[in-house]
Amino acid sequence: MTAGRRLLIDTLGRQRRLISLSTLLITGHQAGEAAVPFLIGVIIDRAVDGGVGSLALWLGVLAAVYVGLSYSYRYGERTGERAAEQAAHDLRLRVTRRVLHERGGAEVDRLPGALVSIATSDAARVGAVAIAVVSGVAAVVGLILAAVLLLSISLPLGLVVLLGTPPLLLLTRLFGKPLEERSATEQEHSAHASGIAADLVIGLRVVKGLRAETAAVERYAQRSRSALAATVRAARAEAAYQGLVLTLSGAFLAVIAVIGGVLALHGQITVGQLISSLGLAQFLVGPMSTFGWVGADLAQGRASARRVAAVLDTPVAVPDGTANPVTPARGGLALRGVDSPPLRGIDLEIAPGELVGIVATDPAEAAEFVRLLGRVRDPVAGVIELDGIPLADLAPNDLRAVVLAVEHQTDLFDDTVRAAVSLAGRALPARVDAAVTAADADEVARGLPDGLDTVLDDRARSLSGGQRQRIALARALAGEPPVLVVHDPTTAVDAATESRIAGRLRAMRDGRTTILITASPALLAVTDRVIVVHDGTVRTDGAHGDLVAEDDTYRETVLA
């Protein structure tokens, strides 16, 4: 059984109570719909026979059936929709938990927009399968009941329905295969286009700064055109599928009507039975058309289930650990023979409480340091130790309670500035105020309508890049981690502000291990020493002033 199919069965199984109740009610509605034309035929025969009492009885039965089928449909649809929405909601939560899992992995080779598309559009399509299952089962029961009623009227009519329906359903399933494949392709292209659009919006300032608007728009347009073409192909496949199902259904119903007419002409069925037969044939339009859209929804649901399952089944990026960090953490770090492209053979030690700068001549090397120290990934070879314990032996959550590694690109969520800095209230007010001052974010707050209580919406895009950086730095400082690793925290602020931040950061982090991965001379000037990484290896280390005076490569890197 494929992963997508297992996910689909599991998702529906979690909603089995609601799906069962909805199926029962919708099946009752279909049974009532099938019974109506049969009862009308009986009533006509009773009227022709002149039995007034019997006629009144059957009219009462017909009225009761109408009331029953009306309420069955109303509450059955409501319950089915609830099952579908609940299934989609549960899937969204599962995808979100997997994306946010402490050991990572789900985001590898997937754009953020693609993950959003899977968590929303694909989850909704999988949830919609609940309605398809309910409606499909009810349609099958309706067909069987119609066949039984037709058998009671005429053996040939009943046999036509019983023997003709299975091949019709098989053809419907076969014709739905291309739709499933095209639906999967459509979702892939759409998710990729959404991912590119999300990345462009996030990096809009950078794109404008580089004057790369034309190239960015062309890149998105190309992907969007591919998504449009895939959507059109999927729509054509669905239209052809629906048309074919309706054609087959119409031909099937015409055969039933013709057979019923011939039987009536030969006196083998009564007038009422002929009307019942024609009414039942008309009733069959409903179940037959239901098979059309149910097949389409099942095809799309299976395609989406494969995409969701691919995210949920993605291997974790790092294994779990069983060791506990040293308590209280001293903050000593050691990298021994670490290979993790583009880094190779890294050997260095950072003493507890030391403020160290790391200057990497390649930005990819700097980013890799952050990922390794935050254990987003483990090195290919070598070992990284925290207070003598290998990071690979520590559970990611336990490690991140000690080591906070902040990447260059950080997001601010929709809330007040104070909530953003205080980590949703986990940091004490005094610590928040100190962190805001140290990061020079108090100057940002003074320019906002409600100061620190100003609500930041839409990822704080109304703020400048420098303002967002200062708030993000304040958030990192407010956490007071024993080891703090930050990557280029002040690239978007002016020189004067950067100098103020450097001095205050030094004071606030006094006694705690801090690693500044940056080429900023203002920040490097307040460090105890600077480690220089070039071509993936440690080239030298020393005081910032000495390196500026003695090392040409270092001077060109930080003072260019």
Side-chain angles (χ1 to χ4, degrees), residues 416-418 444-456:
T416 64
V417 177
R418 188 184 304 278
V444 177
R446 285 193 295 272
L448 298 175
D450 298 314
L452 291 178
D453 295 316
T454 300
V455 175
L456 301 175

Side-chain angles (χ1 to χ4, degrees), residues 124-193:
R125 284 188 172 187
V126 175
V129 172
I131 293 290
V133 168
V134 168
S135 300
V137 171
V140 170
V141 173
L143 274 174
I144 294 173
L145 181 58
V148 170
L149 292 175
L150 285 169
L151 279 171
S152 70
I153 295 171
S154 167
L155 182 62
L157 285 175
L159 289 176
V160 167
V161 176
L162 287 176
L163 298 179
T165 299
L168 192 63
L169 293 177
L170 179 60
L171 286 173
T172 299
R173 175 73 179 92
L174 291 176
F175 292 143
K177 277 292 184 183
L179 176 61
E180 181 175 345
E181 295 170 1
R182 293 192 179 185
S183 175
T185 303
E186 172 204 356
Q187 285 294 90
E188 288 287 349
H189 282 282
S190 176
H192 200 72

Side-chain angles (χ1 to χ4, degrees), residues 76-270:
E77 280 293 307
R78 178 186 296 179
T79 306
E81 287 291 344
R82 182 179 175 186
E85 292 299 326
Q86 188 63 49
H89 175 69
D90 289 348
L91 267 187
R92 283 192 291 272
L93 291 180
R94 291 172 66 185
V95 171
T96 302
R97 290 191 190 101
R98 180 62 193 88
V99 172
L100 298 177
H101 194 278
E102 61 176 20
R103 291 156 66 191
E107 73 286 354
V108 176
D109 296 328
R110 293 186 179 95
L111 293 171
L115 290 171
V116 170
S117 177
I118 291 170
T120 53
S121 178
D122 284 309
R125 284 188 172 187
V126 175
V129 172
I131 293 290
V133 168
V134 168
S135 300
V137 171
V140 170
V141 173
L143 274 174
I144 294 173
L145 181 58
V148 170
L149 292 175
L150 285 169
L151 279 171
S152 70
I153 295 171
S154 167
L155 182 62
L157 285 175
L159 289 176
V160 167
V161 176
L162 287 176
L163 298 179
T165 299
L168 192 63
L169 293 177
L170 179 60
L171 286 173
T172 299
R173 175 73 179 92
L174 291 176
F175 292 143
K177 277 292 184 183
L179 176 61
E180 181 175 345
E181 295 170 1
R182 293 192 179 185
S183 175
T185 303
E186 172 204 356
Q187 285 294 90
E188 288 287 349
H189 282 282
S190 176
H192 200 72
S194 298
I196 291 175
D199 284 357
L200 286 177
V201 171
I202 293 171
L204 189 58
R205 292 178 185 269
V206 176
V207 170
K208 287 184 175 180
L210 296 174
R211 296 186 177 180
E213 296 96 326
T214 303
V217 169
E218 179 56 33
R219 179 184 176 222
Y220 175 73
Q222 182 179 0
R223 178 52 62 181
S224 182
R225 283 192 293 267
S226 299
L228 175 61
T231 302
V232 170
R233 287 194 295 270
R236 285 174 179 167
E238 183 172 0
Y241 173 78
Q242 296 282 9
L244 193 57
V245 169
L246 287 175
T247 300
L248 291 173
S249 301
F252 186 53
L253 299 178
V255 169
I256 296 173
V258 169
I259 294 174
V262 171
L263 292 174
L265 285 175
H266 288 81
Q268 296 180 16
I269 58 176
T270 66

Side-chain angles (χ1 to χ4, degrees), residues 65 83 126 132 200 219 257 261 293 321 372 378 435 438 451 453 513 544 551:
V65 168
V126 175
L200 286 177
R219 179 184 176 222
W293 69 260
L372 291 175
D378 288 331
D453 295 316
T513 306
H544 168 69
D551 193 309

Side-chain angles (χ1 to χ4, degrees), residues 393-410:
D393 293 345
L394 299 172
N397 263 356
D398 293 338
L399 169 65
R400 289 163 193 160
V402 177
V403 179
L404 175 59
V406 183
E407 296 192 26
H408 176 55
Q409 293 290 346
T410 59

